Amino acid sequence: MSKEAREYRTIIVHGPHGCGKTHHGKDLARALGCREVIDGWAKMGLSNGFLPPVTPGALHLTSLPLNPARDRPPAGAVILSFDAAMAVAFAVGAI
């Protein structure tokens, strides 16, 4: 499959300031199947109870404390904690 035809995932990774989101962003994007990293996503926080739009196929990093059961991700996006994202990256040998 060509790189242009590949389907990339849209993922939101949340964690506290200083946990390593930015430092590991490129490795996480590769491990999770994302084509680019959007750092500082959702700096404005929730707007009218909704998360801001996402870039399809990108890894979105935020320190906004998200709860997948409460915060509905934009269509097609998946919310992961930083710890869960790192566990996947370790499992596939990206980090």
Side-chain angles (χ1 to χ4, degrees):
M1 179 184 304
S2 72
K3 193 171 186 178
E4 292 79 30
R6 180 177 176 185
E7 186 174 329
Y8 291 95
R9 294 185 180 105
T10 304
I11 298 178
I12 301 166
V13 172
H14 66 95
H17 288 287
C19 71
K21 296 181 301 292
T22 300
H23 180 78
H24 294 292
K26 288 183 182 178
D27 292 329
L28 286 173
R30 185 175 58 251
L32 297 172
C34 302
R35 83 173 137 235
E36 66 180 299
V37 178
I38 310 271
D39 199 1
W41 177 80
K43 280 187 180 180
M44 300 300 286
L46 297 173
S47 173
N48 296 325
F50 295 99
L51 294 171
V54 294
T55 301
L59 173 67
H60 301 76
L61 305 176
T62 183
S63 57
L64 184 66
L66 299 176
N67 178 342
R70 177 197 68 215
D71 301 314
R72 299 186 69 187
V78 174
I79 296 175
L80 294 174
S81 69
F82 177 71
D83 292 339
M86 288 296 286
V88 170
F90 277 116
V92 298
I95 294 179

